[in-house]
Structures are given as structure tokens and as C-alpha cells.
Amino acid sequence: MHALLLVVLASAGAPVLGLPRLDASPAAAPCLAPLQWEGRWVMYDHSTGRNRRASVSYDALKQRIRVLQQNKKHAPCQKFYEYIYLYQSMVMFQIDQKTKDCSKIALTGAWDPFDIPDNSTFEDQYFIGGPGDNVEVQEWSDRKPARQHETWVGVYTLKDCYPVQETYAQNSSVTTSTRFFNLHLGISDPDVFIPPPTCQSARPERMAESDC
């Protein structure tokens, strides 16, 4: 599971739209999610009402993530960044895609992988899509008997345990919802985790997300 990001999106406790399995029974244990993959995500920040689309490289073996925001030409005031999260070094680099200006910021939260924790609670199993064109998924949460509401809900494919959606909540309000798609195994270019030369003189503060 993953609490990270700024960025880079549905409602706590609400499953992704799909066809429920009437015979769904609690799974014996969570599946094991892939340790390395690349793909895309859309993260919806419920506090700002913004969807953030990005290409993502995820490497749980070395605890690092690279997020390249998708440049949307219909947002003239918006700045677009590349983010490199290096949790073994506990730093994050923010790189302006246009100017290559760079910020280096200390990470305060621990590494939190995109996976299903062993102590998760099985919620449901169902199909996303329609007959002949669907994917079977399982839904898990951090719900516990003494807790009234979940703070995390994760939907993962049944076959290969790819993330489909993760939703986080705080104080009974949804904070972020992230949808994953076009995932494939492996890292095609490990150099994407290496900050550019401009980061050798990086500023210590985060850059603004808009010029307006």
C-alpha cells in the first residue's frame, strides 16, 4: 500500500465499478504485488479537486519511484515536473520539465510500497468490465474491528496482483484516489532514477506548481 505522493486517484470504501461475485469468500492471504513495473496513473487529490496524470517507474527492490507528470496543453498556467523519490537516501528531487530547474527535498515518511499488507482485511472479489471483456480483482482494506472507518482501500488484479486502484482517507474524508493502468513488468531504463546534472546545485525548497 502506498501513502505517498503529492501526485500522482473514487471514494474510501467504495469499490471500483464492476460486477460482484455472489460467491466471493474471504481470501486466504493477500497476493504478492510485482516489485518492479512501469505504467501510468491518475491521482485525484480530493482537497484540490485536481487529477494528476503521470508516467511512473516503480522499483520496490531499491525503494525508488520516478513520476513524470503528463503535460496538458489546455492548462497554460500549470508547471509540469518530474519527481524522483529515493527512499534509501530519504530524498526527493523535483525537476521542472521545461527549465530543468531542480529542488532537493528531504523525505519525512517511510517507504510505503504499492502492495497489500499481510494484515489487510479482505473486502470483496469481483469483475471490472462486462462479459467477455473483464478483469477479476480483489479488494482489501486496513479495516479492523475496533476501527469504524478504513483509511486505505486497495484493489488488485487476482491473476498477477497488479494495482488497479488505491484510496486513502483521513478523519473520515477521502484524501487521494489513484487509478493505475497500462502496467508492464520491469524497468526499461534504470537511468530514470538518476537526477539530472542540474540537481547538483538544487534548491532546498519545493517549486510552485503554477505560474498564475
Side-chain angles (χ1 to χ4, degrees):
M1 102 189 195
H2 192 85
L4 164 75
L5 298 173
L6 53 107
V7 233
V8 223
L9 323 275
S11 162
V16 175
L17 292 180
L19 302 176
R21 283 175 57 104
L22 298 180
D23 60 343
S25 58
C31 58
L32 299 177
L35 296 177
Q36 292 181 321
W37 52 259
E38 292 181 319
R40 296 174 61 196
W41 74 29
V42 178
M43 176 177 287
Y44 180 68
D45 187 326
H46 292 253
S47 64
T48 64
R50 288 184 176 178
N51 278 309
R52 302 183 183 275
R53 302 176 182 273
S55 298
V56 182
S57 298
Y58 170 78
D59 182 8
L61 295 176
K62 295 186 178 181
Q63 298 184 354
R64 55 189 185 174
I65 300 175
R66 185 253 197 166
V67 177
L68 184 65
Q69 289 185 317
Q70 183 179 343
N71 193 326
K72 306 295 288 185
K73 294 182 179 179
H74 60 260
C77 295
Q78 186 71 33
K79 290 185 176 181
F80 295 92
Y81 294 102
E82 174 185 3
Y83 295 87
I84 301 175
Y85 296 83
L86 304 176
Y87 276 86
Q88 291 184 347
S89 302
M90 292 303 292
V91 296
M92 182 270 283
F93 294 92
Q94 178 194 24
I95 303 109
D96 188 309
Q97 292 185 29
K98 183 177 181 180
T99 66
K100 301 304 178 182
D101 288 344
C102 181
S103 292
K104 182 180 179 181
I105 302 167
L107 292 172
T108 57
W111 167 253
D112 188 6
F114 289 113
D115 66 2
I116 308 171
D118 291 337
N119 62 349
S120 298
T121 298
F122 175 79
E123 296 289 353
D124 206 353
Q125 185 167 315
Y126 48 86
F127 291 94
I128 297 176
D133 188 14
N134 53 48
V135 176
E136 192 166 13
V137 299
Q138 287 186 343
E139 182 178 303
W140 296 78
S141 78
D142 64 352
R143 178 173 56 87
K144 297 294 182 287
R147 183 185 297 157
Q148 184 176 4
H149 301 289
E150 305 92 339
T151 62
W152 168 80
V153 177
V155 179
Y156 282 72
T157 61
L158 181 64
K159 181 178 181 291
D160 293 313
C161 208
Y162 282 109
V164 174
Q165 179 168 311
E166 286 201 346
T167 301
Y168 280 88
Q170 186 176 21
N171 299 325
S172 301
S173 298
V174 175
T175 55
T176 58
S177 301
T178 307
R179 295 181 286 112
F180 304 82
F181 51 97
N182 292 352
L183 303 188
H184 56 85
L185 287 176
I187 303 296
S188 59
D189 182 9
D191 288 347
V192 298
F193 299 106
I194 300 176
T198 52
C199 289
Q200 294 180 1
S201 57
R203 65 187 73 186
E205 69 278 351
R206 190 177 185 130
M207 289 178 279
E209 297 181 357
S210 175
D211 286 326
C212 299

